[in-house]
Amino acid sequence: MTETISNRHLLQATGLAEKPLHLAQRVRIVLDSEWASSRAGQLLASCLVNLLVRQVELVGTIEILCPPIAALIRQPNGDVPGVPFAQSLVLVASWAVGDRVEVLTPQAPAIAADVTIVIGRGSPGYSGTVLLALGNGWKAWIGACERGPTHVVPDSTNPLGPFLAAALAAGEVFKRGRGLLRGRFLKGDGYSLWSGQTSPRWDELEDGPELAGAGLRPIHIVGAGAVGNGLAYILANSGFADAYVVVIDDDTYDDTSLNRCFLAGHDDVDDPKVDAVAGAMDRSGIGVFKYRGTISQYLVADRTGLRADVVQQADDLSFDIVASCVDRGLSRQHVQGLAPSLLFGGSTLGLKARANFYPNRPGAACLSCFNPSERDGEKMRELEKKLRDLGVDDRAALLQDAGVDPQLIEDYLASPKCGTLGEAALRNLATRAPSQFSVGFVSLAAALLLATKMFQVILWNGAPNRADVCSFSFMNGGLGDSFLGPDDACEWGCQERRGQVDATHGTDRSVS
C-alpha cells in the first residue's frame, strides 16, 4: 500500500529530478506558545501535518515540538474530546495513512532533522534546512528565519492564510526530497490571497476581511476529488454563519487518492468520495447534500432531502453558483451546460495550481473552452476489439491486472447491452486516464485560489478588482493573475450564445 499511496507524487514531472534525491526525510515542526494557542497557528500546523504525512516515502518521520495546549480546532478526522493539540496531530497522521509515516511529540529535539519548520518566532540553533512559516488572515510567508518578520500576531480565524502557509512549507519539503532541476527554493516570500500581491515584507501585503459570521448562497461542488476535498476543507474551517453545499461525484477513493485527498483517511479507500467530503462539512455545521453520481444523473434523480430552494434550481435548470472540480473534458462540458449564474473552476498541472472564474460576458472563456469532450465511444470499440482478439485466459489475466472483474466483461461480450454493469466496467477501463503526477499541496493551492475568487465575487462583489484567472507555481513561487480568451472551437458556442443574449437587449456584442 505504501507504493500506491506514493505513486502519483513519485511520477516524473517537469523540473523535478528523475529519481528522488532524499527519501524518508525527518521533518521537525516547532510551534511557539503564542501560535500554538491560536486558531491560526493550529490551522497551519494541522494542515501541514495532514499534507506532509501524505508524502509517503519522501517523508519518513515528523517530530512535533509544541507546548501542552488544548485543541482549538476541529481536525479533519473529527473531534477527539480531551486530546491535547499535539496528540491530535498524531491521530491525524494515523487516520490519514496508518503507520506509513512516524509522528513523534518529544519534549525536546531527538536527533537532527533534515528540515525544520518554525511556526511563530524564529528559533536559532537547529541544523539542516530551517524555514519560518506564517499564515494569518489572507496572508502567508515562507523563508529563512532571519529574513522573516520579527513578530506577527496570529489574530485571525480565517483558514486561507494558514492553509497557504502549510502548502508552501509542504512544497519546500517536497522539492528537497524529489530534487529540483528548475525553479528555486523559497527563502523569503510573502503572499496576499486577497490582493494577489507578493512581497518579502509581511507588512506590505494587503489583508482582507474575516470570513467568520458571513453567509454563503447555496453552492454546487461538482467533483469530490483532490480540489473538491480542498474546497470542502476550507469551507469546513471558515466559520460561516450560514452555508449550504451540494457535493456531486460518482467515484470512490483508491489508495493513490490518499496522497492528495485531505478529508479522506486510509479507512475511506473504496468508499464514495462524497461521503468523506460531506461528513467534514456536516461536522462543521454546514448544510450539505451529497449525491453519488454524475451531474447528468443528478438532474433527473429523486434528490430526497435536498433543500427546497436548491431543488428548484435543478428542476428549472437555473443554477446559481457552481464550482467545477472535475478533471475530464466531457465532465466540464456537462458542468458548463448548466449555465450557472456564477461558475468557478480549479485545476492542477504538475507543480502549478490554477483557478478560473468564468464570467458570463462576451470575450471571456467559458468552462467548455479548451476542454473538448473525450472520444469515449471510439476508445470503447478499440478496447472491445482488443479483448475479443484475446483468448479467455489471456483476457482474464489482463482484466484482473487492471482491477476489473473478468466475469462482468465476459457477460457483456456474450450479450452487449447498454446500461449493464459490464458495459460500465468496459467504459471505465477504456476511458481510464493514465496516471499523472499529482501531490496534495498543489491541489490545496488550487482550492485556495478557487475559494479566494469565489468568496470575493459572492461576498464582496468582486472586490478587489482582480483578473479572472489566478495561478501559483510551486516551482518558482510565482503568483499571478491573468485573463483567458475564448476558444474558437468551443463546443458550447459561448460567444455565439452571449452575442444572441446581448442582441435581445438591443446590442450585439458578440465576439468573432
Side-chain angles (χ1 to χ4, degrees):
M1 186 171 180
T2 300
E3 290 74 24
T4 53
I5 294 176
S6 61
N7 171 261
R8 294 295 187 92
H9 58 255
L10 293 183
L11 291 174
Q12 187 56 43
T14 300
L16 296 177
E18 184 176 351
K19 295 182 179 180
L21 190 61
H22 299 294
L23 294 174
Q25 295 178 98
R26 187 181 189 94
V27 181
R28 177 178 295 128
I29 300 173
V30 183
L31 287 89
D32 71 21
S33 58
E34 182 180 27
W35 280 75
S37 59
S38 71
R39 179 173 172 80
Q42 291 196 7
L43 285 171
L44 198 169
S46 172
C47 184
L48 179 56
V49 169
N50 197 3
L51 293 172
L52 287 176
V53 296
R54 297 175 190 274
Q55 292 185 27
V56 171
E57 292 196 46
L58 294 178
V59 173
T61 302
I62 299 174
E63 182 183 285
I64 301 167
L65 300 182
C66 176
I69 299 290
L72 303 175
I73 65 171
R74 177 178 287 105
Q75 298 287 9
N77 59 321
D79 285 331
V80 182
V83 175
F85 177 64
Q87 185 59 34
S88 74
L89 298 179
V90 177
L91 297 178
V92 167
S94 176
W95 157 79
V97 295
D99 60 357
R100 274 77 187 178
V101 176
E102 181 182 39
V103 180
L104 308 172
T105 57
Q107 295 297 313
I111 60 176
D114 297 293
V115 181
T116 296
I117 300 169
V118 178
I119 300 174
R121 296 178 188 243
S123 301
Y126 293 111
S127 61
T129 298
V130 182
L131 297 171
L132 175 66
L134 302 172
N136 191 58
W138 297 71
K139 299 159 58 173
W141 196 94
I142 185 78
C145 293
E146 61 271 17
R147 298 189 182 187
T150 55
H151 186 213
V152 173
V153 179
D155 56 2
S156 174
T157 63
N158 187 343
L160 296 176
F163 281 7
L164 178 58
L168 294 169
E172 291 305 293
V173 172
F174 178 84
K175 289 189 292 186
R176 285 165 171 81
R178 273 301 310 263
L180 199 61
L181 300 180
R182 290 171 44 189
R184 66 185 181 93
F185 297 116
L186 305 185
K187 297 182 179 179
D189 297 79
Y191 303 91
S192 167
L193 287 170
W194 176 256
S195 67
Q197 293 169 284
T198 62
S199 173
R201 296 180 58 83
W202 177 271
D203 292 340
E204 292 179 355
L205 300 170
E206 185 178 355
D207 204 357
E210 286 287 352
L211 297 175
L216 285 178
R217 308 199 304 269
I219 299 169
H220 282 82
I221 299 177
V222 186
V227 178
N229 262 245
L231 181 56
Y233 195 17
I234 295 162
L235 291 169
N237 286 281
S238 294
F240 290 115
D242 180 41
Y244 189 82
V245 175
V246 179
V247 57
I248 301 168
D249 197 296
D250 65 343
D251 200 5
T252 58
Y253 295 106
D254 62 23
D255 292 338
T256 69
S257 305
L258 297 184
N259 89 322
R260 63 196 182 279
C261 291
F262 329 99
L263 299 179
H266 65 95
D267 286 341
D268 293 306
V269 170
D270 296 329
D271 289 346
K273 289 182 176 178
V274 294
D275 287 357
V277 170
M281 289 190 287
D282 180 62
R283 290 191 296 270
S284 70
I286 292 177
V288 63
F289 178 84
K290 62 181 181 181
Y291 180 75
R292 186 185 178 187
T294 66
I295 187 65
S296 300
Q297 293 167 339
Y298 169 76
L299 294 176
V300 297
D302 177 37
R303 301 191 297 269
T304 299
L306 182 62
R307 211 169 79 177
D309 58 328
V310 187
V311 170
Q312 199 66 44
Q313 288 187 28
D315 287 346
D316 295 345
L317 292 178
S318 179
F319 285 81
D320 184 15
I321 305 169
V322 175
S324 170
C325 301
V326 295
D327 58 4
R328 299 189 73 233
L330 181 61
S331 300
R332 288 167 175 160
Q333 295 284 338
H334 290 164
V335 173
Q336 179 58 55
L338 302 176
S341 299
L342 298 174
L343 177 57
F344 307 86
S347 60
T348 66
L349 180 62
L351 286 178
K352 188 172 185 178
R354 174 169 161 162
N356 288 15
F357 172 47
Y358 299 97
N360 187 21
R361 65 168 185 264
C366 75
L367 183 58
S368 177
C369 291
F370 310 105
N371 290 299
S373 302
E374 292 84 1
R375 299 181 180 274
D376 290 353
E378 291 183 10
K379 293 179 180 179
M380 285 187 65
R381 289 189 290 273
E382 290 174 3
L383 178 59
E384 182 177 345
K385 182 180 184 305
K386 176 182 176 180
L387 292 173
R388 288 186 183 278
D389 289 343
L390 294 174
V392 174
D393 292 342
D394 289 340
R395 188 160 57 227
L398 186 151
L399 293 170
Q400 287 172 345
D401 287 343
V404 178
D405 182 356
Q407 191 58 50
L408 287 178
I409 302 300
E410 292 297 337
D411 292 344
Y412 176 78
L413 295 178
S415 178
K417 293 181 181 179
C418 294
T420 63
L421 292 176
E423 189 229 14
L426 183 66
R427 179 182 297 276
N428 288 338
L429 181 57
T431 60
R432 185 183 296 174
S435 295
Q436 294 182 333
F437 173 88
S438 60
V439 66
F441 57 85
V442 180
S443 299
L444 180 58
L448 287 164
L449 299 178
L450 190 163
T452 292
K453 191 64 179 180
M454 188 166 66
F455 296 159
Q456 289 178 334
V457 170
I458 297 171
L459 299 176
W460 294 286
N461 197 30
N465 186 23
R466 295 179 58 185
D468 298 336
V469 181
C470 185
S471 61
F472 183 83
S473 171
F474 283 89
M475 192 69 67
N476 58 22
L479 174 68
D481 288 358
S482 61
F483 288 93
L484 180 65
D487 181 3
D488 291 339
C490 174
E491 294 181 22
W492 196 62
C494 58
Q495 300 309 298
E496 292 83 358
R497 290 171 182 264
R498 291 166 182 171
Q500 290 169 4
V501 170
D502 288 344
T504 64
H505 290 81
T507 303
D508 186 0
R509 295 176 12 206
S510 61
V511 177
S512 59

